[in-house]
Amino acid sequence: MDAAALAASLVPSWSAVVVLFSYLGYLAAAGAVLPGKLVPGAVLPDSSRLHYRCNGLLSLLLLLVLSALGVYMGWMSPTVIADRGIELLSATFIFSVIVTFLLYYSGLRSHHKSSSLKPHVSGNFIQDWWLGVQLNPHFMGVDLKFFFVRAGMMAWLFINLSLFAKSYLADYFVHEELMTSTWDIIAERLGFMLVFGDLVFIPFTFTIQGWWLLRNNVELSLLAATVNCFIFVIGYLVFRGANKQKHVFKKSPKALIWGKPPKLVGGKLLVSGYWGIARHCNYLGDILLALSFSLPCGTSSVIPYFYPTYLFILLIWRERRDEARCSEKYKEIWVEYCKLVPWRIFPYVY
């Protein structure tokens, strides 16, 4: 693709806009009407708590059926996303910017006192726009933070499916309930960082490997493929296992972990299972998974390794923020916890 064609494709077409808003509209409707497990969120500082309808798996399956029906009837192409990749990226980016400005200005005008909607204003426009003003803003009854996370994860899957179709990840939704215990949902306010990350960055940059393989022929040896599968399995077990242990512990503090009663520090911090190995063991699993997605692209270019490289930097930065927050919140309990679990992410390394 030459520079002129690339520049032209960066201008969103009406078809890309229709695809984007049809997708978001479907998710909003499906999230509101489809049945799903109602999961209580974390207790907020004002003692309130939100409840999340976890019907992502049913929403995904229904969308797959509708998409398959559309392809069968000739209403749409299975490569509709791959054919409009850059246009959709541009349209989604512009949408994210507009949404975050609306979130910023609506947050400034909010007079709510609840933890979810109370404005957090530092006076620094860039910081407030980037990190967000409100913790859990809603629009027409839709929890926007949870909605955007779901939209990004599902788009990631559909981009990969479209790339697969062009060249001739449903796990998140099976475990969607675990998302309600993550840092993004509990602690982050909703600003440009999260909206852009959920809608643009995750689905479009985490699939660079697919775009790369679509245009480059890579052959892996049996040994390389075996090692890659091993890294994927270990990463998956650590990532899902750590997040599940944390989620189960928050719901049932006495539930067994690896067949034994959980060990706690100060009655609050878990030092059993994966959380006794490293303070952010889930990040280790995430990084290993990202690496396993890029390794099939070979070593001829660094481009397919953007995802694990970026994720590594992001999680180190997030770990530092989380450490500072926990140190302030738990004080001497956190000091004791760090002595018992000295490793941050990589056991015996960091």
Side-chain angles (χ1 to χ4, degrees):
M1 182 181 292
D2 57 32
L6 177 61
S9 65
L10 287 174
V11 179
S13 64
W14 282 112
S15 60
V17 174
V18 169
V19 170
L20 173 62
F21 279 91
S22 297
Y23 170 66
L24 295 177
Y26 164 80
L27 285 185
V33 303
L34 293 180
K37 184 178 180 181
L38 201 61
V39 178
V43 177
L44 300 175
D46 63 357
S47 299
S48 65
R49 66 193 310 168
L50 300 179
H51 288 76
Y52 301 93
R53 186 184 300 278
C54 292
N55 56 8
L57 180 60
L58 188 56
S59 299
L60 170 64
L61 294 176
L62 178 58
L63 184 55
L64 285 170
V65 170
L66 293 175
S67 299
L69 178 62
V71 171
Y72 177 77
M73 298 298 294
W75 299 334
M76 61 178 286
S77 166
T79 63
V80 61
I81 299 175
D83 293 338
R84 295 171 174 79
I86 298 180
E87 295 175 21
L88 280 169
L89 169 61
S90 179
T92 312
F93 174 77
I94 293 171
F95 173 78
S96 299
V97 172
I98 293 173
V99 166
T100 51
F101 275 118
L102 292 174
L103 286 169
Y104 172 76
Y105 286 112
S106 64
L108 290 183
R109 297 174 59 185
S110 174
H111 298 290
H112 287 273
K113 301 299 182 182
S114 67
S115 295
S116 288
L117 301 177
K118 179 181 178 181
H120 299 265
V121 182
S122 68
N124 183 316
F125 167 73
I126 297 298
Q127 177 179 324
D128 293 337
W129 172 68
W130 182 269
L131 294 176
V133 175
Q134 294 175 300
L135 184 63
N136 296 298
H138 286 65
F139 178 72
M140 298 180 66
V142 176
D143 184 299
L144 292 178
K145 187 193 295 185
F146 197 63
F147 175 80
F148 287 144
V149 171
R150 175 181 290 180
M153 289 295 182
M154 197 175 294
W156 183 4
L157 172 64
F158 272 89
I159 289 175
N160 277 316
L161 289 176
S162 186
L163 290 171
F164 176 76
K166 183 76 173 179
S167 62
Y168 199 146
L169 305 167
D171 172 77
Y172 166 83
F173 301 100
V174 175
H175 300 282
E176 185 178 42
E177 177 183 340
L178 307 185
M179 192 65 196
T180 62
S181 299
T182 61
W183 169 280
D184 283 353
I185 295 296
I186 294 175
E188 295 284 19
R189 299 190 297 275
L190 189 61
F192 179 81
M193 180 179 71
L194 274 192
V195 174
F196 174 80
D198 289 339
L199 294 184
V200 180
F201 205 86
I202 287 177
F204 287 97
T205 63
F206 288 12
T207 53
I208 286 176
Q209 305 93 326
W211 298 107
W212 174 264
L213 290 173
L214 192 62
R215 292 168 173 80
N216 296 271
N217 183 28
V218 178
E219 294 185 5
L220 292 179
S221 66
L222 178 60
L223 177 61
T226 302
V227 170
N228 188 68
C229 289
F230 179 75
I231 293 174
F232 171 82
V233 170
I234 296 300
Y236 178 84
L237 292 175
V238 173
F239 177 74
R240 272 288 169 240
N243 282 330
K244 185 174 183 179
Q245 285 178 355
K246 179 176 65 174
H247 183 75
V248 170
F249 170 71
K250 289 185 176 183
K251 291 181 61 178
S252 305
K254 295 183 179 180
L256 298 181
I257 294 180
W258 289 349
K260 299 179 180 180
K263 297 180 181 179
L264 307 179
V265 174
K268 296 181 179 180
L269 300 179
L270 181 65
V271 291
S272 291
Y274 290 105
W275 301 96
I277 298 174
R279 302 200 291 271
H280 304 274
C281 209
N282 54 331
Y283 292 175
L284 172 60
D286 214 353
I287 292 170
L288 290 176
L289 280 173
L291 182 61
S292 74
F293 295 156
S294 298
L295 286 174
C297 297
T299 57
S300 62
S301 173
V302 298
I303 293 176
Y305 292 87
F306 172 81
Y307 170 30
T309 302
Y310 162 81
L311 189 66
F312 177 82
I313 296 172
L314 170 69
L315 293 181
I316 293 293
W317 173 65
R318 174 169 286 189
E319 173 264 323
R320 294 300 178 93
R321 291 176 61 203
D322 196 18
E323 292 272 326
R325 175 174 170 267
C326 290
S327 178
E328 180 181 355
K329 180 178 181 180
Y330 296 111
K331 297 182 172 57
E332 65 276 359
I333 298 178
W334 184 253
V335 175
E336 183 181 353
Y337 173 63
C338 291
K339 291 179 180 178
L340 292 173
V341 188
W343 308 111
R344 295 170 180 256
I345 299 176
F346 303 94
Y348 304 102
V349 177
Y350 172 73

